[in-house]
Amino acid sequence: MTVLVTDQGRVRIVAIDRPEVRNAVNPTTAFALYEAFMAFEADVSVDVAILTGQGASFCAGFDLKAAASGVGQAWQDAVMIPDDWQDARLQPLMGPMGPSRLMLSKPVIAAIEGPAVAGGLELAAWCDMRVAAKSAVLGVFCRRWGVPLIDGGTVRLPGLVGQGRANDLILTGRPVDAEEAHHIGLVDRLCAEGQALAEALQLADGLTRFPQGCMRADVLSAQMSGVDLATALRREWASFEMFATEGQTGAARFAAGKGRGGGFSDI
């Protein structure tokens, strides 16, 4: 089991449980995350979810070792966006990282310790709010490997930090520490190291105390429409062809030991 699901009151905690690879997501984990959030959406006993990672990492993105082995290419067929997909709310689809194409009616909070990078950053951006430990680091680290953003990163980052800052993050792939992330609006709350989940739980518990119908209506109104989101994600998905060329090669370099620990000099 690579995803752990627990409830505390009316709050559901969904934790990626692959700490040995910094909670990198492989296809099995992506499917488990998708199923977990679809179940959360349908469960009337919970109102708010928290997405986090076990251990000292949030998520290091898609598992590039799995991608280098050929799993990534095979995974394309499973997460392909069909030509007739028109609404992210009415037609739920799984993304490469799992829930990244879903529009839920209930809020999700990211509790970030350590790296939230590449696809992990996209998962954090998918959430409605982000709580990060001061030691956290965020960034489009997949820039180093020629792996495109295909889980909503190019769609959601401009909305969170503005187009100019999003361009900086997307083009350079540079690491962004928690203080800067908070300053530019990528992170909503900062906390001490090791306290992200506790802080997110306190925040989530507060949200459960409000009238839920009104809160969900306001959250929905503030979101991009399902049709607009589907259109934007379909456009983004066109860049997947880059994985079959640059991305596959980059994943192989990573699997061979290059650029570990977020390094940019050895890629």
Side-chain angles (χ1 to χ4, degrees):
M1 184 178 298
T2 59
V3 172
L4 302 178
V5 178
T6 57
D7 291 347
Q8 291 198 23
R10 297 193 66 83
V11 178
R12 176 153 296 170
I13 302 168
V14 179
I16 305 170
D17 188 21
R18 302 187 76 215
E20 71 281 0
V21 289
R22 297 190 177 188
N23 295 318
V25 170
N26 61 9
T28 299
T29 308
F31 183 75
L33 285 171
Y34 175 81
E35 290 283 283
F37 280 103
M38 290 293 287
F40 161 69
E41 176 75 355
D43 193 337
V44 297
S45 71
V46 285
D47 299 319
V48 182
I50 294 171
L51 174 59
T52 192
Q54 290 287 94
S57 301
F58 178 75
C59 176
F62 192 78
D63 189 335
L64 290 184
K65 287 187 178 180
S69 71
V71 169
Q73 189 64 41
W75 187 233
Q76 177 184 6
D77 294 335
V79 297
M80 180 77 71
I81 297 180
D83 292 338
D84 60 353
W85 189 51
Q86 297 296 324
D87 194 308
R89 179 171 296 280
L90 300 178
Q91 300 166 283
L93 290 181
M94 182 167 60
M97 293 291 293
S100 54
R101 293 174 185 157
L102 296 179
M103 285 186 72
L104 304 184
S105 67
K106 297 186 281 189
V108 181
I109 301 168
I112 302 170
E113 298 277 354
V117 298
L121 175 60
E122 293 184 283
L123 283 181
W126 170 75
C127 296
D128 298 287
M129 297 183 72
R130 284 148 294 282
V131 175
K134 291 183 178 179
S135 55
V137 61
L138 301 88
V140 185
F141 281 17
C142 50
R143 177 61 55 237
R144 300 170 297 162
W145 310 114
V147 176
L149 294 172
I150 49 176
D151 279 273
T154 65
V155 177
R156 296 184 177 103
L157 286 173
L160 291 173
V161 302
Q163 189 66 59
R165 284 172 170 155
N167 288 346
D168 177 12
L169 300 180
I170 292 169
L171 292 174
T172 69
R174 66 182 179 85
V176 178
D177 63 35
E179 293 281 356
E180 182 184 358
H182 185 246
H183 175 71
I184 66 176
L186 184 55
V187 162
D188 303 295
R189 310 266 179 111
L190 291 180
C191 62
E193 185 175 359
Q195 295 301 306
L197 180 56
E199 184 79 10
L201 276 167
Q202 184 176 9
L203 174 59
D205 185 63
L207 297 185
T208 67
R209 300 175 189 274
F210 294 131
Q212 293 299 300
C214 177
M215 185 175 71
R216 293 174 194 175
D218 285 348
V219 169
L220 176 61
S221 181
Q223 291 176 346
M224 182 183 294
S225 77
V227 174
D228 290 342
L229 179 60
T231 299
L233 292 177
R234 283 175 58 83
R235 183 180 65 181
E236 181 186 70
W237 178 248
S239 66
F240 185 87
E241 65 184 54
M242 291 296 101
F243 182 82
T245 53
E246 295 178 357
Q248 192 77 27
T249 302
R253 293 201 307 274
F254 177 85
K258 299 291 186 179
R260 296 296 172 82
F264 277 66
S265 61
D266 180 27
I267 57 174

